[in-house]
Amino acid sequence: MTSGADSVVSWAPGKLYIAGEYAVVEPGHQAVLVTVDRFITVRVTPCSPAGGNAGTISSRRYAAGCLPWRRRPQDGMAEAVEGDDDYVVSAIRVVEALVVQGGGRLRSFDLGIVSELDEADGRKLGLGSSAAVTVATVRAVAGLYSLSLDDLSVYKLAMLASDAVQPIGSGGDIAASAVTGWVSYTSPDRVWLRRVRQRAGALGAVSDLVGADWPGLSVRRLAAPSLRLQVGWTGAPSSSPALVAGVQAGSHGSDDAYAVFLRDSRDCLASLVTAIEDDDTARIMRQIERNRALLAGLSRISGRTIETAELTQLVEIAREHGAAAKSSGAGGGDCGIALCPTDTDLTALRAAWRAAGIRPLDLSVHAHGSPTDSPAKVAL
Ligand code: PMV
Ligand code: MG
């Protein structure tokens, strides 16, 4: 975070799943993710609007480029002037609930968003822009009110904000974007979370929830292994909530097989995390292959395609070059990842992907606190 003149600038990186997809949607199950050096940057600038307490949110994502927000008469919380509240408004509201509970006074501000996570033409890469914008907004608004938050609190606030807008995700993307680097994540019991919130009223529980231990939750940075990450983009955008809902509905008639998937995935992720901690290349690669096979099994159980033909091609090419590879995230398009031993000919791998119509993305793993810990350019 930086502050200049009167404004506060924060950023959050995009992410990729390494392993544990779908299982991590179930409370207490684990995933491994990495964050990459593409960011969403949020700038918050105090303003004094003529009409009272309000402001604007500007982003290329909004058709009009700008979304006005105001304060609800009943409780003074932020809401979009038109349309549904999105991740940004929800994040403002959650952080401001904390401010109000601490006895602070709410302010008016304009909020500007710049994203490097989509293609220049707006096409989605699948790098987790909703999670990153939520995390960056939490950090920037907290900065405006001089709240100092550790990464776990940022995760919890962003998770509460995101859950109010899109309740289906595991929150792995949020955990990664808040903690950064190689991240091991075990998802919390969201039924518990919603119950606690409902009991306390819509916003009443925010400060208690930030201070509480969340059942099932674990978020932890892992030391980066020696394997090098390569990312290929299929060019086909995919909707994770739709796929997750489809896979869960499709698995419904096969409860036993789904339980076996969850058990095997738990075992695979535990082995993967130990292997990463030991920086054991061969063992890491074996667990990546195993996780791919488990996802293929889940695909069969549910009748939904996770690894598309393009992703299979991406994986096979990577394997021919000595890497371990799989789809990343919900699949159905978006990206695949390859973990490459240090002697892999990366130029040859990338050329082979290109020849097959797969775009190698220019991404490196990013962790905050590292020398390159900021977006290349903050054009706000
Ligand atoms: O496709 P992505 O990067 O949004 O990842 C989705 C991962 C799932 O485990 C399938 C869903 C989730 O929310 O964890
Ligand atoms: Mg995806």
Side-chain angles (χ1 to χ4, degrees), residues 15 17 124-128 237-240 243 328-335:
K15 65 87 191 70
Y17 270 88
K124 170 182 175 291
L125 295 170
L127 296 178
S238 160
S239 160
S240 304
L243 252 169
S328 172
D334 286 347
C335 294

mmCIF file of all heavy atoms in Angstrom, residues 15 17 124-128 237-240 243 328-335, ligand 2:
data_model
loop_
_atom_site.group_PDB
_atom_site.id
_atom_site.type_symbol
_atom_site.label_atom_id
_atom_site.label_comp_id
_atom_site.label_asym_id
_atom_site.label_seq_id
_atom_site.Cartn_x
_atom_site.Cartn_y
_atom_site.Cartn_z
ATOM 1 N N LYS A 15 -4.224 -15.034 -9.410
ATOM 2 C CA LYS A 15 -3.816 -16.351 -8.890
ATOM 3 C C LYS A 15 -4.038 -17.471 -9.921
ATOM 4 O O LYS A 15 -4.761 -17.299 -10.907
ATOM 5 C CB LYS A 15 -4.633 -16.695 -7.639
ATOM 6 C CG LYS A 15 -6.146 -16.874 -7.923
ATOM 7 C CD LYS A 15 -6.479 -18.293 -8.339
ATOM 8 C CE LYS A 15 -7.838 -18.559 -8.893
ATOM 9 N NZ LYS A 15 -8.245 -18.091 -10.160
ATOM 10 N N TYR A 17 -4.682 -21.862 -9.619
ATOM 11 C CA TYR A 17 -4.704 -23.094 -8.819
ATOM 12 C C TYR A 17 -3.594 -24.023 -9.306
ATOM 13 O O TYR A 17 -3.386 -24.195 -10.508
ATOM 14 C CB TYR A 17 -6.048 -23.814 -8.987
ATOM 15 C CG TYR A 17 -7.069 -23.386 -7.969
ATOM 16 C CD1 TYR A 17 -7.895 -22.293 -8.207
ATOM 17 C CD2 TYR A 17 -7.194 -24.056 -6.767
ATOM 18 C CE1 TYR A 17 -8.833 -21.888 -7.265
ATOM 19 C CE2 TYR A 17 -8.128 -23.657 -5.813
ATOM 20 C CZ TYR A 17 -8.937 -22.581 -6.067
ATOM 21 O OH TYR A 17 -9.853 -22.188 -5.127
ATOM 22 N N LYS A 124 -11.279 -12.787 -20.707
ATOM 23 C CA LYS A 124 -10.938 -13.296 -19.379
ATOM 24 C C LYS A 124 -9.855 -14.370 -19.499
ATOM 25 O O LYS A 124 -9.944 -15.277 -20.316
ATOM 26 C CB LYS A 124 -12.232 -13.893 -18.815
ATOM 27 C CG LYS A 124 -12.100 -14.696 -17.559
ATOM 28 C CD LYS A 124 -13.476 -15.251 -17.177
ATOM 29 C CE LYS A 124 -13.393 -16.172 -15.968
ATOM 30 N NZ LYS A 124 -12.718 -17.438 -16.212
ATOM 31 N N LEU A 125 -8.835 -14.259 -18.638
ATOM 32 C CA LEU A 125 -7.778 -15.281 -18.619
ATOM 33 C C LEU A 125 -8.038 -16.323 -17.527
ATOM 34 O O LEU A 125 -7.455 -17.400 -17.545
ATOM 35 C CB LEU A 125 -6.414 -14.627 -18.361
ATOM 36 C CG LEU A 125 -5.896 -13.677 -19.447
ATOM 37 C CD1 LEU A 125 -4.673 -12.919 -18.947
ATOM 38 C CD2 LEU A 125 -5.554 -14.453 -20.704
ATOM 39 N N GLY A 126 -8.858 -15.959 -16.538
ATOM 40 C CA GLY A 126 -9.118 -16.892 -15.430
ATOM 41 C C GLY A 126 -8.111 -16.726 -14.302
ATOM 42 O O GLY A 126 -7.811 -17.681 -13.595
ATOM 43 N N LEU A 127 -7.609 -15.504 -14.109
ATOM 44 C CA LEU A 127 -6.604 -15.278 -13.062
ATOM 45 C C LEU A 127 -7.215 -14.777 -11.754
ATOM 46 O O LEU A 127 -6.495 -14.337 -10.860
ATOM 47 C CB LEU A 127 -5.530 -14.280 -13.553
ATOM 48 C CG LEU A 127 -4.690 -14.746 -14.743
ATOM 49 C CD1 LEU A 127 -3.696 -13.659 -15.160
ATOM 50 C CD2 LEU A 127 -3.949 -16.038 -14.428
ATOM 51 N N GLY A 128 -8.540 -14.842 -11.649
ATOM 52 C CA GLY A 128 -9.152 -14.526 -10.349
ATOM 53 C C GLY A 128 -9.362 -13.049 -10.123
ATOM 54 O O GLY A 128 -9.045 -12.523 -9.047
ATOM 55 N N PRO A 237 -12.828 -18.763 -22.523
ATOM 56 C CA PRO A 237 -13.231 -18.360 -21.174
ATOM 57 C C PRO A 237 -14.183 -19.376 -20.554
ATOM 58 O O PRO A 237 -14.917 -20.049 -21.274
ATOM 59 C CB PRO A 237 -13.943 -17.022 -21.388
ATOM 60 C CG PRO A 237 -14.374 -17.020 -22.805
ATOM 61 C CD PRO A 237 -13.464 -17.948 -23.568
ATOM 62 N N SER A 238 -14.138 -19.491 -19.232
ATOM 63 C CA SER A 238 -14.963 -20.490 -18.561
ATOM 64 C C SER A 238 -15.557 -19.884 -17.293
ATOM 65 O O SER A 238 -14.913 -19.077 -16.638
ATOM 66 C CB SER A 238 -14.059 -21.679 -18.240
ATOM 67 O OG SER A 238 -14.626 -22.458 -17.240
ATOM 68 N N SER A 239 -16.779 -20.285 -16.962
ATOM 69 C CA SER A 239 -17.422 -19.752 -15.752
ATOM 70 C C SER A 239 -17.302 -20.755 -14.613
ATOM 71 O O SER A 239 -17.916 -21.823 -14.644
ATOM 72 C CB SER A 239 -18.893 -19.449 -16.037
ATOM 73 O OG SER A 239 -19.605 -19.395 -14.814
ATOM 74 N N SER A 240 -16.514 -20.401 -13.586
ATOM 75 C CA SER A 240 -16.299 -21.330 -12.467
ATOM 76 C C SER A 240 -17.587 -21.613 -11.691
ATOM 77 O O SER A 240 -17.876 -22.780 -11.421
ATOM 78 C CB SER A 240 -15.241 -20.801 -11.516
ATOM 79 O OG SER A 240 -14.069 -20.552 -12.224
ATOM 80 N N LEU A 243 -19.634 -24.139 -13.545
ATOM 81 C CA LEU A 243 -19.018 -25.477 -13.566
ATOM 82 C C LEU A 243 -19.080 -26.153 -12.197
ATOM 83 O O LEU A 243 -19.367 -27.345 -12.100
ATOM 84 C CB LEU A 243 -17.561 -25.350 -14.006
ATOM 85 C CG LEU A 243 -17.247 -25.870 -15.407
ATOM 86 C CD1 LEU A 243 -15.853 -25.459 -15.821
ATOM 87 C CD2 LEU A 243 -17.403 -27.379 -15.483
ATOM 88 N N SER A 328 -6.015 -25.849 -14.588
ATOM 89 C CA SER A 328 -5.893 -25.026 -13.380
ATOM 90 C C SER A 328 -7.243 -24.390 -13.087
ATOM 91 O O SER A 328 -7.844 -23.765 -13.958
ATOM 92 C CB SER A 328 -4.848 -23.935 -13.609
ATOM 93 O OG SER A 328 -4.844 -23.036 -12.525
ATOM 94 N N GLY A 329 -7.748 -24.566 -11.867
ATOM 95 C CA GLY A 329 -9.048 -23.998 -11.523
ATOM 96 C C GLY A 329 -10.165 -24.925 -11.972
ATOM 97 O O GLY A 329 -10.000 -26.148 -12.060
ATOM 98 N N ALA A 330 -11.301 -24.333 -12.280
ATOM 99 C CA ALA A 330 -12.476 -25.142 -12.611
ATOM 100 C C ALA A 330 -12.319 -25.870 -13.933
ATOM 101 O O ALA A 330 -13.043 -26.826 -14.206
ATOM 102 C CB ALA A 330 -13.707 -24.246 -12.639
ATOM 103 N N GLY A 331 -11.394 -25.445 -14.784
ATOM 104 C CA GLY A 331 -11.236 -26.081 -16.094
ATOM 105 C C GLY A 331 -12.315 -25.610 -17.049
ATOM 106 O O GLY A 331 -12.846 -24.511 -16.888
ATOM 107 N N GLY A 332 -12.631 -26.436 -18.048
ATOM 108 C CA GLY A 332 -13.618 -26.036 -19.044
ATOM 109 C C GLY A 332 -13.082 -24.947 -19.968
ATOM 110 O O GLY A 332 -13.829 -24.347 -20.735
ATOM 111 N N GLY A 333 -11.785 -24.667 -19.896
ATOM 112 C CA GLY A 333 -11.147 -23.585 -20.662
ATOM 113 C C GLY A 333 -10.146 -22.898 -19.755
ATOM 114 O O GLY A 333 -9.525 -23.545 -18.913
ATOM 115 N N ASP A 334 -10.030 -21.577 -19.899
ATOM 116 C CA ASP A 334 -9.063 -20.804 -19.108
ATOM 117 C C ASP A 334 -7.639 -21.364 -19.276
ATOM 118 O O ASP A 334 -7.213 -21.632 -20.380
ATOM 119 C CB ASP A 334 -9.457 -20.739 -17.630
ATOM 120 C CG ASP A 334 -10.636 -19.794 -17.363
ATOM 121 O OD1 ASP A 334 -10.984 -19.013 -18.257
ATOM 122 O OD2 ASP A 334 -11.199 -19.856 -16.267
ATOM 123 N N CYS A 335 -6.936 -21.591 -18.160
ATOM 124 C CA CYS A 335 -5.505 -21.910 -18.239
ATOM 125 C C CYS A 335 -5.180 -23.317 -17.753
ATOM 126 O O CYS A 335 -5.933 -23.909 -16.989
ATOM 127 C CB CYS A 335 -4.708 -20.938 -17.370
ATOM 128 S SG CYS A 335 -4.758 -19.246 -17.952
HETATM 129 MG MG MG B 2 -11.176 -20.825 -14.266
#
